[in-house]
């Protein structure tokens, strides 16, 4: 009994920390560091978002992730309409944006894309490689030269989507059976391992990773069309896969982001293909974590929505469709009860907008009308 | 045998020397007939299945143009057959050709546009002399863009887009993302295709429809379901009493719908497609003209789609026993790909696929796509094939200047066109050796079933002077190296040769493993040349059958009607103007010597046209007289609903770049056209790569 009370006390402590938004470390744009407002009414943005311009001559850009220093990564077309990985830097003091910096593909190739950046400015993504393959790469801090991450299967495609503060990387790779499987690189210099899938020979993708204070990490993604979580222990070893379920009656789900409190976000899809933004949380009884997950619906009935990134203040970035079917960038506050939709058009009115990343300052990045944007808090 | 060779080659020699005289002979109009005089072929047993043919035509037209039929909710049958029955897109239309190891010609590739200067794909220093050096050698194919690579997961009721998982495609990808795959052969026109004994370039769309897939009797397990006194019973359409002949277009229609390049994500079944389409309003995303010649009376109040359901049109079109069972459902234990046996039928055939199809009470059925197909869903491939065949049977272009001329209007053809007609029918050009009859193809049902043609397998000395069996209407003319695309010489998914000739030569081995009736094995016959003064070439009396087949690299002879508008030409779409085609025949092909063992003996070059630009122009001008103005202006029956067509890709990603693994489509709109056709503002259809309508276009190299 005494042992149970101690567990309960510990669990309550964890819960309290989660609600207050405390926590250490930092991940990519899907899991910024601690800080920022916890009261939805205190989050206000500049009147209009700022465009993250494409490379010279390019017609398209999209921002995927942002770190707490204001470094933003994503993609842009160049003057030849080739897609390249790019980086922008947004001043956290006055919101000014630096010129777009190209993150080059592997030497001799044309395509690259940047998807994740950690607090140290270490960037991960993908590059074209030989034989028309696309492989996972990284760009070290302040460099523009892509370095190939070790392959799961030589000559097959791979991609890196997220990097944690300690340099752990997750993504996807094609295995020897030509299946796309979730993969994890313990560091940029170590060969990847395939993360477990829900079924033997199954498929999956790992989209997000965040380090916890004890040296372990949490990875989220999907396997066999179900949102899943993997834990990485302090020694860097991947544990088993945990299915997180769907909204009642739904058939698919995916988890895209996680914060250090263990709150995960993503989407759940019904049989007609309509997706709804959701939060995945460990089930608890009196604060004690028990097996299973709660799947909390953030979306409005009848329209599509998706929650893509969450910071340690439990601010969630994503998108909502309006009744006309246009998508609007969205921000939710997961620690309000019920969860509050704060803003439905962070990228401004008109045109399709999607938010993909959020940092500790509640800066939100994404794409609207084929151009990257950043929404900056006042 | 020696006498046979002698006679044939004496004929070739005579025709060569007699060229000039023949060219100036009067048109062989007595032997020429209008297509109006040719009955539109239909299955003799049609009335056993179809209750209302007009309703079936409505169903076929709706399905043919409905973008919801594609797994992506975008790709319709019509997406590759929207311009004079074919495809005139120029961006992202290149394929490296058939075969897993095919690679694009350097400098070409995905999402590129083709231009006039890319054609022809094989050029010679002297275009009329194949002995000169090849100056261009491009092995790519101009095909049609279909769907992105995905694995099919499930349909999503009420959603035109199927559920699927991304599969990276190492060939059709750009900017780290898949682009729409492109077919390995050029899209033939569907106009007048009903007259073909077999369809597709390799003729794999069988003359006899099995109700399930293109392969007719070659698939011994194909079955549809008939409701007999409340019990679902299999029906084998290969049995004599059930047989659907003249139905190659039905066989053809069920191919692309499940092709994981053309319309479907990999692994989709026809019952699943049926379940989806039955849950959607026909053409719901597309405007339909209120004066559409077929669908006008059914247009929804919104102007988009029809105010009916596919189920209701099926019920109107087909006999109840093929859809009215409501007490049982069908499940498929092998991912629903092949319809197997339900209960033993009256045939003596062995059950080769036991357990693939199970019937149970509908009360036990699982709803929403996880199993338990209704009879209507399970038979959807049958309805789809039959309805599309009957719709396309209305697409007959029989009102051309040529038709009017041979019907007695001497002014219908200009003097130059009449001279071109003379050339076309002359022995010197030998055009009519393959492009015979009112259909302008030897693969027509008229020709293959002509009592004077003793078989669909014929015998002749090929270009290498050795006798060989070949399939009527299928010829290797040296467009591509034989091994690059075997065409008629390939095998079907069941391991059987596509060609009648190889089926005959391998009959014993085939019947040892497949229960295929003798009646389906053709016997070799004689060659009837289209030239009256040449004797028939028959197997020597009493001699053992010739064991050689010349079918590799052979392709269906296309009809030439509307040829002005149906470029690019040949199975690989490698020529863009009719002048390039004429040059090709004048020089005797691109790969004459390379393909000699299978080459059509008439591909010997046309010496009489060499350096005769005026004569060549007359020949081209005659071919332009094969255009039906109703086709050019899309007047009934060639009118159609609105269609949005993917036309290459933009350098953009529609959504989260980590998850969206397809480049954004560049969509173009084909507006709905009613029975009166295109407006003057829209203008007529133009030839491929000739959007400005330059009248000299086809006369240029």
């Amino acid at each position: 009994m005494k042992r149970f009370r101690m567990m309960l006390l510990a669990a309550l402590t964890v819960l309290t920390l989660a609600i207050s938004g405390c926590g250490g470390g930092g991940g990519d744009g899907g899991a910024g560091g601690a800080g920022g407002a916890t009261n939805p009414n205190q989050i206000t943005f500049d009147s209009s978002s700022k465009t993250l311009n494409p490379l010279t001559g390019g017609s398209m850009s999209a921002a995927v992730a942002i770190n707490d220093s204001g470094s933003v990564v994503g993609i842009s077309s160049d003057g030849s309409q080739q897609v390249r990985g790019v980086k922008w830097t947004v001043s956290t003091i006055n919101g000014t944006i630096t010129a777009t910096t190209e993150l080059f593909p592997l030497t001799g190739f044309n395509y690259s894309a940047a998807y994740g950046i950690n607090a140290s400015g270490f960037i991960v993504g993908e590059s074209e490689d030989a034989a028309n393959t696309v492989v996972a790469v990284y760009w070290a801090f302040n460099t523009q030269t892509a370095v190939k991450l070790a392959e799961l299967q030589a000559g097959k495609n791979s991609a890196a989507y997220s990097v944690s503060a300690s340099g752990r990387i997750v993504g996807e790779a094609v295995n020897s059976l030509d299946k796309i499987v979730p993969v994890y690189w313990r560091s940029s210099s170590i060969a990847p391992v395939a993360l477990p899938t829900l079924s033997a020979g199954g498929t999956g993708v790992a989209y997000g990773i965040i380090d916890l204070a004890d040296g372990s990490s949490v990875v989220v993604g999907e396997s066999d069309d179900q949102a899943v979580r993997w834990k990485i222990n302090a020694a860097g070893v991947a544990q088993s896969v945990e299915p997180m379920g769907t909204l009642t009656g739904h058939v698919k789900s995916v988890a895209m982001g996680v914060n250090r409190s263990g709150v995960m976000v993503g989407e759940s899809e019904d049989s007609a293909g309509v997706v709804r933004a959701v939060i995945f949380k460990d089930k608890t009884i009196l604060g004690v974590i028990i097996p299973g997950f709660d799947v909390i619906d953030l979306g409005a009935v009848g329209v599509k929505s998706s929650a893509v990134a969450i910071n340690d203040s439990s601010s969630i970035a994503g998108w909502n469709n309006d009744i006309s079917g246009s998508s609007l960038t969205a921000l939710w506050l997961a620690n309000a009860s019920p969860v509050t939709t704060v803003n439905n058009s962070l990228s401004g009115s008109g045109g399709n907008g999607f938010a993909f990343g959020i940092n500790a300052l509640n800066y939100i990045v994404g794409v609207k009308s084929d151009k990257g944007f950043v929404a900056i808090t006042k | 045998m020696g006498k046979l060779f002698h006679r044939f080659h004496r004929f070739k020699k005579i025709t060569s020397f007699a060229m000039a005289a023949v060219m100036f002979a009067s048109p062989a109009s007595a032997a020429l007939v209008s297509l109006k005089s040719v009955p539109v072929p239909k299955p003799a047993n049609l009335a056993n299945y179809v209750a209302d043919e007009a309703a079936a035509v409505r169903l076929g037209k709706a399905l043919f143009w409905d973008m919801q039929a594609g797994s992506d909710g975008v790709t319709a049958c019509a997406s590759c057959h929207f311009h004079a029955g074919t495809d005139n897109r120029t961006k992202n239309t290149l394929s490296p050709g058939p075969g897993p190891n095919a690679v694009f010609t350097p400098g070409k590739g995905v999402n590129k546009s083709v231009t006039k200067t890319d054609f022809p794909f094989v050029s010679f220093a002297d275009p009329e002399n194949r002995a000169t050096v090849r100056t261009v050698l491009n092995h790519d194919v101009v095909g049609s863009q279909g769907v992105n690579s995905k694995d099919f997961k499930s349909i999503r009721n009420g959603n035109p887009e199927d559920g699927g998982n991304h599969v990276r495609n190492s060939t059709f990808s750009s900017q780290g993302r898949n682009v729409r795959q492109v077919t390995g052969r050029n899209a033939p026109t569907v106009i007048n295709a009903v007259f073909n004994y077999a369809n597709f370039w390799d003729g794999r769309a069988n003359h006899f429809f099995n109700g399930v897939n293109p392969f007719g009797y070659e698939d011994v397990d194909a079955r549809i379901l008939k409701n007999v006194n409340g019990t679902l019973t299999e029906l084998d359409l290969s049995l004599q009493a059930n047989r659907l002949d003249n139905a190659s277009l039905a066989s053809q229609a069920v191919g692309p719908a499940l092709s994981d390049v053309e319309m479907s994500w990999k692994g989709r079944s026809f019952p699943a497609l049926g379940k989806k389409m039955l849950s959607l309003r026909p053409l719901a995303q597309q405007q339909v003209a209120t004066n559409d010649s077929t669908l006008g009376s059914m247009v929804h109040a919104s102007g988009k789609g029809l105010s009916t359901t596919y189920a209701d049109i099926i019920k109107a079109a087909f006999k109840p026993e093929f859809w009215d069972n409501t007490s049982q459902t069908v499940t498929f234990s092998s991912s629903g790909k092949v319809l197997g046996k339900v209960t033993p039928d009256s045939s003596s055939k062995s059950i080769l696929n036991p357990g693939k199809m199970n019937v149970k009470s509908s009360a036990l059925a699982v709803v929403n796509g996880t199993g338990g197909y209704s009879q209507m869903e399970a038979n959807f491939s049958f309805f789809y094939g039959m309805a599309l065949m009957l719709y396309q049977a209305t697409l007959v272009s029989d009102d051309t200047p040529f038709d009017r001329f041979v019907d007695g209007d001497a002014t219908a053809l200009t003097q130059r066109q009449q001279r071109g007609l003379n050339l076309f029918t002359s022995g010197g050009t030998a055009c009519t050796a393959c492009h015979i009859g009112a259909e302008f193809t030897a693969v027509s049902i008229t020709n293959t079933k002509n009592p004077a043609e003793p078989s669909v397998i014929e015998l002749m000395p090929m270009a290498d002077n050795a006798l060989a069996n070949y399939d009527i209407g299928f010829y290797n003319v040296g467009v591509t190296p034989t091994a690059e695309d075997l065409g008629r010489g390939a095998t079907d998914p069941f391991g059987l040769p596509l060609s009648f000739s190889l089926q005959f030569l391998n009959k014993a081995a085939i019947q040892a493993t497949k229960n295929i009736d003798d009646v389906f094995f053709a016997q070799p016959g004689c060659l009837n040349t289209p030239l009256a003064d040449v004797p028939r070439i028959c197997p020597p009396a009493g001699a053992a059958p010739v064991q050689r087949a010349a079918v590799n690299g052979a392709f269906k002879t296309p009809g030439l009607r509307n040829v002005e508008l149906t470029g690019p030409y040949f199975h690989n779409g490698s020529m863009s103007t009719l002048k390039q085609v004429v040059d090709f025949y004048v020089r005797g092909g691109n790969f004459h010597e390379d393909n000699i063992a299978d080459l059509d003996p008439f591909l010997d070059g046309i010496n009489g046209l060499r350096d005769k630009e005026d004569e060549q122009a007359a020949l081209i001008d005659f071919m332009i007289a094969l255009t039906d103005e109703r086709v050019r202006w899309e007047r009934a029956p060639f009118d159609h609903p609105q269609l949005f067509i993917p036309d290459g890709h933009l350098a953009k990603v529609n959504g989260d770049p980590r998850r969206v693994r397809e480049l954004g489509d560049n969509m173009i709109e084909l507006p709905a056209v009613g029975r009166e056709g295109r407006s003057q503002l829209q203008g007529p259809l133009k030839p491929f790569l000739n959007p400005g309508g330059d009248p000299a276009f086809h006369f240029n190299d």
Side-chain angles (χ1 to χ4, degrees):
Chain A
M1 189 65 177
K2 182 180 179 185
R3 185 182 171 90
F4 172 74
R5 283 204 306 267
M6 289 180 67
M7 286 173 57
L8 185 60
L9 182 62
L12 287 169
T13 304
V14 168
L15 182 68
T16 304
L17 287 171
I19 290 174
S20 66
C22 294
D28 68 357
T38 56
N39 181 339
N41 297 322
Q42 293 177 357
I43 300 179
T44 56
F45 290 82
D46 282 353
S47 56
S48 62
S49 62
K50 296 190 174 185
T51 298
L52 297 167
N53 289 319
L55 294 163
T56 303
S59 59
M60 172 279 293
S61 62
V64 179
I66 179 170
N67 70 8
D68 294 349
S69 306
S71 291
V72 181
V73 295
I75 59 175
S76 166
S77 56
D78 64 12
S80 304
Q81 303 310 311
Q82 285 284 338
V83 175
R84 297 293 181 99
V86 288
K87 185 178 83 169
W88 302 268
T89 301
V90 181
S91 168
T92 56
I93 298 170
N94 59 18
T96 57
I97 299 170
T98 62
T100 310
T101 302
E102 191 165 353
L103 299 169
F104 295 113
L106 294 167
T107 303
F109 298 101
N110 292 314
Y111 163 77
S112 61
Y115 297 132
I117 181 169
N118 68 8
S120 305
F122 187 92
I123 298 167
V124 296
E126 65 188 22
S127 166
E128 182 184 356
D129 197 10
N132 206 25
T133 57
V134 173
V135 295
V137 297
Y138 69 87
W139 293 267
F141 174 65
N142 264 355
T143 68
Q144 294 175 270
T145 305
V147 180
K148 192 168 163 179
L149 286 162
E151 296 167 282
L152 184 69
Q153 186 73 31
K156 302 278 189 182
N157 288 311
S158 58
Y161 293 132
S162 183
V163 55
S164 73
S166 65
R168 291 171 175 169
I169 300 165
V170 294
E172 67 176 54
V174 175
N175 68 11
S176 60
L177 302 174
D178 275 339
K179 301 252 187 191
I180 297 172
V181 295
V183 289
Y184 156 62
W185 291 263
R186 200 163 65 187
S187 81
S188 59
S189 59
I190 295 177
V193 294
L195 292 166
T197 53
L198 289 176
S199 66
T203 61
V205 182
Y207 287 114
I209 182 169
I210 193 161
D211 293 337
L212 303 182
D214 63 0
S216 67
S217 304
V218 176
V219 178
V220 294
E222 66 90 9
S223 173
D224 298 342
D225 290 337
Q226 294 291 305
V228 293
R229 179 176 72 181
W230 298 270
K231 289 181 176 172
I232 309 290
N233 68 19
V237 178
Q239 310 297 298
S240 59
V241 59
E242 300 172 89
M244 298 197 289
T246 65
L247 291 172
T248 302
H250 281 208
V251 296
K252 285 175 71 174
S253 59
V254 60
M256 297 296 297
V258 55
N259 70 8
R260 277 174 292 179
S261 304
V263 182
M264 296 160 283
V265 295
E267 64 190 35
S268 176
E269 181 178 326
D270 68 17
S271 61
V274 177
V275 293
R276 296 274 280 274
V278 294
I279 293 171
F280 303 96
K281 295 173 86 168
D282 284 298
K283 277 187 182 297
T284 60
I285 294 180
L286 297 175
V288 177
I289 294 174
I290 61 172
F293 293 85
D294 289 321
V295 185
I296 302 165
D297 191 355
L298 299 180
V301 175
V303 295
K304 295 180 178 179
S305 60
S306 181
V308 185
I310 181 169
N311 66 14
D312 286 335
S313 305
S314 288
S315 298
I316 300 169
W319 54 268
N320 264 327
N321 270 12
D322 64 13
I323 53 173
S324 72
S326 297
S327 58
L328 305 166
T329 50
L331 172 68
W332 296 271
L333 266 294
N335 53 1
S337 183
V339 174
T340 304
T341 302
V342 176
N343 196 318
N344 249 337
S345 56
L346 293 168
S347 55
S349 60
N352 283 337
F354 302 90
F356 302 132
I358 185 169
N359 71 2
L361 301 172
N362 286 317
Y363 285 20
I364 291 176
V365 296
V367 63
K368 180 199 166 193
S369 301
D370 300 329
K371 297 289 192 304
F373 77 86
V374 57
I376 299 170
T377 49
K378 282 183 176 172
Chain B
M1 189 76 78
K3 188 176 178 185
L4 191 68
F5 286 137
H6 176 72
R7 291 167 74 185
F8 184 78
H9 288 286
R10 187 179 64 181
F11 152 69
K12 288 174 68 180
K13 199 171 180 181
I14 289 169
T15 55
S16 181
F17 284 124
M19 182 73 188
V22 175
M23 280 179 178
F24 296 104
S26 59
S29 52
L32 298 171
V33 295
S34 163
L35 192 57
K36 290 189 179 81
S37 68
V38 180
V40 175
K42 288 177 187 167
N45 277 346
L46 188 64
N48 292 351
Y49 302 94
V50 173
D52 179 345
E53 202 172 314
V57 170
R58 289 194 291 275
L59 176 65
K61 186 168 187 177
L63 287 170
F64 184 86
W65 289 92
D66 199 331
M67 296 162 60
Q68 300 171 124
S71 275
D72 57 3
V74 169
T75 307
C77 301
S79 300
C80 303
H81 299 279
F82 62 89
H83 182 95
T86 184
D87 186 350
N88 76 334
R89 287 173 289 183
T90 57
K91 189 175 182 187
N92 193 36
T93 57
L94 285 175
S95 160
N101 300 318
V103 293
F104 285 107
T105 297
K108 308 297 178 186
V110 299
N111 207 27
K112 299 254 171 53
S113 294
V114 293
T115 64
K116 287 180 188 175
T117 56
D118 291 320
F119 295 89
F121 283 9
V122 179
S123 292
F124 291 75
D126 176 355
E128 298 183 2
N129 185 353
R130 68 175 184 270
T132 59
V133 67
R134 285 193 191 107
T135 53
V136 174
L137 184 55
N138 179 345
H139 289 281
D140 292 344
V141 169
V142 178
S144 285
Q145 56 204 300
V147 293
N148 287 292
S149 294
K150 276 193 174 184
D151 281 339
F152 175 80
K153 292 290 289 184
S154 64
I155 64 158
R156 304 186 293 190
N157 283 352
N159 190 333
E161 184 178 349
D162 296 338
N165 285 344
H166 168 76
V167 177
R168 289 201 175 191
N169 188 311
S170 60
T171 299
F172 293 102
S173 62
S174 175
Q175 321 283 2
R177 279 152 188 88
N178 285 349
V179 297
R180 290 180 179 272
Q181 301 167 92
V182 178
T183 58
R185 293 183 187 139
N186 193 252
T189 181
V190 297
I191 295 173
N192 305 321
V194 69
F195 294 102
N196 292 336
Y197 186 88
N199 278 290
F200 291 125
W201 280 105
D202 56 14
R204 68 185 183 279
N206 203 280
H207 185 72
F208 299 94
F209 183 39
N210 67 20
V212 178
N213 58 42
F215 300 100
Y217 55 83
E218 295 165 30
D219 179 3
V220 297
D221 298 321
R223 301 289 185 275
I224 64 170
L225 292 167
K226 187 174 182 179
N227 188 18
V228 180
N229 299 323
T231 300
L232 288 178
T233 306
E234 70 175 32
L235 193 70
D236 181 350
L237 298 186
S238 72
L239 299 178
Q240 176 70 41
N242 306 331
R243 202 165 293 162
L244 284 162
D245 64 346
N246 293 335
S248 170
L249 262 188
S251 301
Q252 187 278 332
V254 295
L258 291 195
S259 162
D260 59 16
V261 173
E262 295 176 62
M263 291 176 68
S264 182
W265 292 339
K266 191 174 183 179
R268 184 167 71 157
S269 71
F270 241 109
L273 171 58
K275 187 180 279 288
K276 178 176 84 166
M277 297 306 283
L278 291 167
S279 78
L280 300 168
R281 192 161 57 78
L283 296 159
Q285 303 174 68
Q286 299 158 255
Q287 291 180 336
V288 183
T290 52
N291 63 340
D292 184 288
S293 61
T294 306
L295 304 173
S297 63
M298 309 168 77
V299 177
H300 189 265
S302 67
K304 285 190 170 183
L306 306 184
S307 57
T308 184
T309 64
Y310 277 118
D312 282 346
I313 318 180
I314 288 170
K315 288 175 181 175
F318 290 93
K319 293 204 152 186
E321 57 265 38
F322 298 103
W323 50 260
D324 70 351
N325 180 292
T326 55
S327 61
Q328 293 179 300
T329 59
V330 187
T331 56
F332 300 90
S333 59
S334 180
S335 65
K337 286 295 288 179
V338 178
L339 289 174
K341 301 272 186 180
V342 181
T343 54
D345 65 6
S346 57
S347 77
S348 60
K349 293 184 173 184
S350 59
I351 300 174
L352 297 181
N353 259 333
K356 289 237 174 185
M357 188 158 62
N358 301 295
V359 174
K360 59 186 177 183
S361 164
S362 60
L364 301 174
V366 182
V367 296
N368 287 335
T370 55
Y373 293 105
S374 68
Q375 184 192 16
M376 187 180 282
E377 292 162 352
N379 278 345
F380 200 75
S381 57
F382 174 71
F383 304 134
Y384 197 92
M386 294 293 284
L388 261 71
M389 173 182 70
L390 291 169
Y391 162 59
Q392 291 172 92
T394 69
L395 303 180
V396 174
S397 66
D398 56 7
D399 190 21
T400 70
F402 165 80
D403 295 293
R404 292 196 292 275
F405 181 78
V406 296
D407 272 348
D409 179 357
T411 66
L413 295 182
T414 66
Q415 286 299 314
R416 186 164 81 159
Q417 287 170 335
Q418 291 183 42
R419 199 150 49 96
L421 172 58
N422 271 342
L423 288 165
F424 189 83
T425 57
S426 72
T429 64
C431 299
T432 50
C434 303
H435 296 284
I436 188 171
E439 303 91 336
F440 289 92
T441 170
V443 85
S444 69
I445 289 172
T446 309
N447 191 50
T448 53
K449 294 189 176 180
N450 184 344
E453 296 282 349
S455 174
V456 292
I457 302 174
E458 295 186 331
L459 190 71
M460 76 177 163
M462 305 310 290
D464 64 354
N465 292 332
L467 273 179
N469 298 291
Y470 72 97
D471 287 14
I472 190 168
F474 289 84
Y475 305 100
N476 181 330
V477 294
V479 174
T480 51
T482 296
E484 202 166 274
D485 188 344
L486 288 180
R488 190 66 173 163
T491 55
D492 69 18
F494 311 98
L496 271 65
L498 290 177
S499 75
F500 304 128
S501 300
L502 288 176
Q503 287 176 10
F504 164 73
L505 294 173
N506 295 283
K507 180 179 175 184
I510 291 169
Q511 288 193 318
T513 56
K514 302 278 185 186
N515 192 6
I516 297 178
D517 201 296
D518 270 349
V519 72
F520 292 119
F521 288 87
Q523 307 295 312
C526 306
L527 168 66
N528 286 300
T529 81
L531 307 166
D533 59 346
V534 175
R536 298 175 73 197
I537 300 171
C538 296
V546 172
Q547 293 298 307
R548 178 175 177 239
V551 294
N552 288 339
F555 293 93
K556 181 188 68 181
T557 304
L560 297 181
R561 288 172 177 272
N562 312 301
V563 69
E564 171 192 6
L565 302 172
T566 58
Y569 304 113
F570 295 104
H571 67 275
N572 63 345
S574 59
M575 296 173 222
S576 61
T577 69
L578 293 174
K579 178 66 165 71
Q580 291 169 8
V581 175
V582 170
D583 285 343
F584 168 86
Y585 283 111
V586 168
R587 68 174 173 264
N590 292 337
F591 297 94
H592 184 107
E593 285 71 23
D594 314 66
N595 293 9
I596 198 79
D598 295 280
L599 196 73
D600 181 339
F602 285 94
L603 251 290
D604 204 18
I606 307 175
N607 288 327
L609 286 184
R610 193 158 287 139
D611 299 324
K612 302 276 178 55
E613 295 303 313
D614 285 351
E615 304 304 313
Q616 293 181 26
L619 189 58
I620 293 166
D621 209 11
F622 165 67
M623 287 190 271
I624 290 173
L626 298 177
T627 301
D628 188 322
E629 292 302 304
R630 294 173 303 164
V631 172
R632 193 193 303 279
W633 287 92
E634 297 188 326
R635 295 178 187 131
F638 306 105
D639 54 343
H640 56 77
Q642 179 189 43
L643 186 69
F644 295 96
I645 311 162
D647 185 31
H649 294 268
L650 304 169
K652 62 181 276 189
V653 181
N654 293 323
D656 188 334
R658 293 165 295 185
R659 300 179 66 197
V660 176
R661 285 298 182 170
E662 289 112 26
L663 272 187
D665 284 317
N666 178 43
M667 301 296 288
I668 53 176
E669 180 192 354
L670 186 71
V673 170
R675 64 168 60 248
E676 305 303 327
R678 298 166 71 89
S679 66
Q680 290 296 323
L681 185 64
Q682 290 172 314
L685 298 184
K686 309 285 194 340
F688 174 74
L689 281 177
N690 184 23
D694 175 7
F697 176 78
H698 276 304
F699 299 90
N700 295 324
D701 281 321

